[in-house]
Amino acid sequence: FLSLVAEFCWGFFVILILGNFWFLAVLYLLWLYLDWETPCAGGRRSQWVRSWTVWKYFREYFPINLVKTSELNPNHNYLLGFHPHGILVAGAFGNFCTDPPFKNLFPGLTPYLHIMPIWFGCPFFREYIMSAGMVSASKESVSYVLNNEGGGHASVIVIGGAEESLNAHPGSLTLNILKRKGFIKMALKHGAHLVPVFSFGENELFKQVANPKGSWLRNVQEKLQKIMGFALPLFHARGVFQYSFGLIPYRQPIHTVVGSPIPVKQNLNPTTEEIDQLHALYLQKLKKLFEEHKSNYGIPEHKSLIFE
């Protein structure tokens, strides 16, 4: 989804260069140079963009719902781990990049959705994603958000990343998380409370071409992901006027459940053992959150999360 919009922006930029408006392209390149670090410094959100009426219809299409299970004290900073990635990451965008879902349930907290730095190199597109509240997923960017002394900031990180999108099949409950401990280290360094978030229905929006591990398709996708930094899942859903084939996501409800915070005491130089202990606790809390709510959202009792 993001890649399609980014390609459109690149196309528009090329038209400016090749057409009679090349001077505008030059001015924008100058702006890009001067503004290059902004995605790592809190971005440049716009309340007007986040409140566009189109986002209301976007949320209602599925529909997308944000579920609160515990209070989050705005005097603290938080690191929210979002699971699973899915294909579209619709729950993360709909709940954390548009208003008013998060603002109404968690007053005093400002969410920042961290995405891959590569997207901020796209002309014009970067301006839009920053206005929606997206910032870079770099260490510098996460540190900037969590360094807010007065609290009230919430870093939202899709823990499984692009690699996890290759597991985004309907019914899949596999999360790429066992080796992902950087977010734990960041939480410890900044004393940010950890909050597990599970988005039920995220994997049901598209049907992905079968790509079991070890298959030629999966091997190609994994190699491309390592080279380009983002995955290329082959997927389809419904069309505009028919339901058999297309790229429009299915109308499947998404329930993004925000769990209870795990208190974290600041530790500027955490040891490997301390990181592993907190990581194990996070996995335990994430699994508990899933088990407590799965029956509400159509997950069979015998199914559980699979950590890889």
Side-chain angles (χ1 to χ4, degrees):
F1 176 73
L2 285 178
S3 61
L4 290 175
V5 181
E7 286 175 11
F8 173 82
C9 291
W10 269 114
F12 180 70
F13 185 69
V14 170
I15 290 174
L16 287 181
I17 294 176
L18 299 179
N20 295 324
F21 301 97
W22 59 268
F23 61 94
L24 292 179
V26 172
L27 287 176
Y28 185 80
L29 286 175
L30 176 60
W31 162 255
L32 193 63
Y33 173 77
L34 297 173
D35 195 57
W36 190 254
E37 296 299 326
T38 301
C40 294
R44 188 169 44 249
R45 70 178 52 225
S46 165
Q47 190 60 44
W48 175 67
V49 172
R50 290 173 59 89
S51 301
W52 281 351
T53 303
V54 67
W55 304 136
K56 175 178 179 291
Y57 294 118
F58 173 80
R59 295 191 301 267
E60 291 178 350
Y61 171 80
F62 298 97
I64 296 174
N65 298 292
L66 187 63
V67 181
K68 177 181 179 179
T69 64
S70 178
E71 295 291 339
L72 297 182
N73 189 334
N75 293 325
H76 297 296
N77 292 318
Y78 298 88
L79 195 158
L80 278 61
F82 184 91
H83 313 270
H85 184 287
I87 298 290
L88 188 62
V89 205
F93 177 81
N95 287 309
F96 304 116
C97 295
T98 72
D99 286 331
F102 190 86
K103 182 170 66 174
N104 285 352
L105 288 180
F106 301 100
L109 280 181
T110 302
Y112 295 82
L113 179 60
H114 296 270
I115 64 175
M116 295 187 342
I118 189 174
W119 297 117
F120 296 97
C122 179
F124 304 115
F125 181 64
R126 70 188 296 274
E127 316 306 330
Y128 160 66
I129 56 179
M130 280 196 288
S131 66
M134 295 183 230
V135 291
S136 172
S138 65
K139 292 180 181 179
E140 295 79 11
S141 178
V142 177
S143 291
Y144 185 94
V145 173
L146 297 181
N147 265 339
N148 190 41
E149 294 184 1
H153 282 188
S155 279
V156 183
I157 302 177
V158 184
I159 305 300
E163 182 182 356
E164 193 173 84
S165 67
L166 299 178
N167 291 326
H169 296 272
S172 174
L173 296 172
T174 301
L175 304 180
N176 292 66
I177 192 172
L178 291 182
K179 296 180 180 180
R180 296 178 180 266
K181 301 179 181 180
F183 73 104
I184 298 291
K185 188 174 182 179
M186 294 301 292
L188 282 166
K189 281 192 170 185
H190 298 283
H193 296 350
L194 281 166
V195 182
V197 178
F198 195 86
S199 195
F200 292 89
E202 200 74 44
N203 284 338
E204 319 305 315
L205 307 184
F206 296 91
K207 292 180 180 178
Q208 185 173 177
V209 175
N211 60 341
K213 288 195 172 182
S215 66
W216 70 269
L217 176 58
R218 186 61 169 258
N219 290 335
V220 170
Q221 289 175 321
E222 290 177 346
K223 288 179 181 178
L224 289 175
Q225 189 263 323
K226 291 179 180 179
I227 295 172
M228 300 184 297
F230 57 89
L232 291 173
L234 300 179
F235 59 90
H236 67 88
R238 54 162 291 186
V240 178
F241 301 110
Q242 44 78 29
Y243 293 85
S244 58
F245 190 83
L247 294 178
I248 297 177
Y250 293 115
R251 297 192 71 176
Q252 296 289 339
I254 298 172
H255 300 277
T256 303
V257 183
V258 181
S260 301
I262 303 170
V264 176
K265 186 177 180 180
Q266 187 174 25
N267 183 347
L268 295 177
N269 296 293
T271 64
T272 300
E273 182 180 1
E274 290 170 330
I275 293 173
D276 289 343
Q277 288 178 349
L278 184 55
H279 186 261
L281 177 60
Y282 179 86
L283 294 183
Q284 178 186 331
K285 295 295 184 181
L286 174 60
K287 186 173 183 179
K288 180 181 179 183
L289 177 70
F290 174 81
E291 293 295 331
E292 288 178 348
H293 293 273
K294 68 181 184 181
S295 61
N296 297 333
Y297 307 117
I299 307 294
E301 185 62 32
H302 67 279
K303 286 202 167 187
S304 297
L305 293 178
I306 299 173
F307 297 143
E308 288 188 347

